Amino acid sequence: MRTVGIVAATLATTAVVGGGAYWLYKRRKKKKDDELADDDDVVLKDFEDDDDPITPDDIRPRGGFMDRNTLPDDVKQEFIEAFGGYAPPKDEILDNLTQEDVILFGVKSEPVPGYPEVREEILTAKVRTVEDTVIRARISEPEEFSAHLGSYAGHGFRFGEMVEVPRGVIIFAARPKPTDVTGYGKHGRPAGTFESSHVTKKSYDVHPGTPYDLVMPYITDDIEFHVDRAMVRFELVGTKGLHQQIVFKEGSMHGDVTLRALDRDPKTGLVFVARWNFHIEP
């Protein structure tokens, strides 16, 4: 038995790039409102809860790319309803992709001991580079089936990871629909939420170009954020309640980095607020 999940961005109307057409993509599942849910409704994935580091290699979630020519009929029907037909992008389209574009591709889990059932899912990734045989892109939407669940094997492709997608498996290429969202949430839902490392004693694995939430003890206009490595750049996206959203920029040096929040008190000077230890993955 196969279970298919569609996870993809809402994409703009047809656009033309380098003489090739870009297509719309419509979610198979009902898309939530663009407005962020209330705090009580938001369920954030927390990377420190990932069990991969202690999972034996023989049962670690893993998978590969789906053959776009054998997509399940119900998935094809979604594309047909959206566009009146289904036709994967040609090389001339892929050759002219930019870093503002996204690609859609299917992934499929590999059965491992104890998890014999297969999951299939369509993921969205933001283009980083266009190469002769692959498109390098970063997964830009939360995935549903990366981890094992029940008797189903997880495919192991995770939000924020860089993947090299063979041209021949790409289902669609498109430019995301413009959004009016500014500040918190403008990059989408966070991939994880992190308490201060000085409390948890943990270091968190993160990826560039991916939003994360920092749990703040308090927030004032005088709080400053500092990293201990000059070649690491970041964006403070915005706040929601006591969550400060952050994105490490593409091009930031990989490896260990410490981010500190300091309160510039007008009377006492800089006051320590919180600290997060990160390991920036490719």
Side-chain angles (χ1 to χ4, degrees):
M1 176 180 179
R2 290 182 175 180
T3 301
V4 178
I6 304 275
V7 178
T10 301
L11 304 175
T13 55
T14 303
V16 176
V17 176
Y22 275 50
W23 294 274
L24 288 166
Y25 175 68
K26 185 173 90 173
R27 279 184 187 270
R28 177 170 177 250
K29 304 178 100 175
K30 182 179 179 182
K31 184 172 177 63
K32 294 182 179 179
D33 293 336
D34 288 337
E35 295 182 359
L36 290 167
D38 292 336
D39 282 339
D40 291 342
D41 297 328
V42 176
V43 178
L44 298 176
K45 300 175 68 176
D46 201 336
F47 275 27
E48 78 264 28
D49 291 333
D50 186 352
D51 62 357
D52 276 1
I54 59 173
T55 302
D57 286 341
D58 61 338
I59 61 171
R60 189 183 300 272
R62 54 180 178 265
F65 297 103
M66 288 171 55
D67 182 351
R68 69 184 181 190
N69 296 315
T70 59
L71 287 178
D73 290 340
D74 59 340
V75 177
K76 287 183 179 179
Q77 186 59 38
E78 293 295 329
F79 290 110
I80 292 171
E81 290 176 3
F83 315 110
Y86 168 71
K90 296 180 180 179
D91 277 340
E92 62 185 329
I93 299 295
L94 301 180
D95 288 340
N96 289 282
L97 293 174
T98 73
Q99 292 189 351
E100 300 203 0
D101 302 321
V102 296
I103 56 174
L104 279 69
F105 57 95
V107 296
K108 178 179 178 179
S109 63
E110 177 184 330
V112 295
Y115 305 94
E117 302 294 336
V118 172
R119 291 282 201 189
E120 294 177 343
E121 184 171 3
I122 293 178
L123 301 180
T124 301
K126 191 167 186 180
V127 174
R128 302 310 307 160
T129 62
V130 176
E131 301 177 13
D132 290 342
T133 60
V134 300
I135 304 296
R136 296 185 72 250
R138 190 176 298 284
I139 298 174
S140 58
E141 287 276 312
E143 80 296 324
E144 291 190 64
F145 304 132
S146 63
H148 299 326
L149 180 63
S151 62
Y152 288 93
H155 53 64
F157 290 86
R158 298 182 185 278
F159 185 13
E161 289 183 343
M162 188 78 77
V163 289
E164 293 189 348
V165 186
R167 286 174 173 245
V169 306
I170 295 173
I171 297 169
F172 273 99
R175 186 153 294 162
K177 181 180 179 180
T179 175
D180 294 331
V181 176
T182 58
Y184 184 95
K186 76 175 184 180
H187 294 291
R189 291 270 180 131
T193 181
F194 305 121
E195 298 276 356
S196 175
S197 295
H198 88 278
V199 174
T200 66
K201 313 302 181 186
K202 293 180 179 180
S203 180
Y204 306 106
D205 291 338
V206 295
H207 298 279
T210 307
Y212 299 95
D213 275 8
L214 309 179
V215 179
M216 301 289 294
Y218 65 90
I219 293 179
T220 72
D221 292 338
D222 297 320
I223 289 182
E224 302 174 357
F225 289 84
H226 300 270
V227 293
D228 63 351
R229 295 174 63 196
M231 296 184 70
V232 173
R233 297 179 299 117
F234 63 92
E235 174 188 358
L236 296 174
V237 181
T239 61
K240 184 178 183 183
L242 288 179
H243 286 176
Q244 171 66 61
Q245 196 164 97
I246 186 173
V247 172
F248 287 99
K249 296 287 192 177
E250 296 285 359
S252 290
M253 182 173 287
H254 302 154
D256 294 331
V257 63
T258 296
L259 175 72
R260 289 181 173 84
L262 304 175
D263 189 358
R264 188 173 289 279
D265 187 278
K267 294 183 178 179
T268 61
L270 288 176
V271 178
F272 174 81
V273 176
R275 181 192 76 244
W276 293 267
N277 297 327
F278 292 116
H279 185 83
I280 302 178
E281 302 282 351

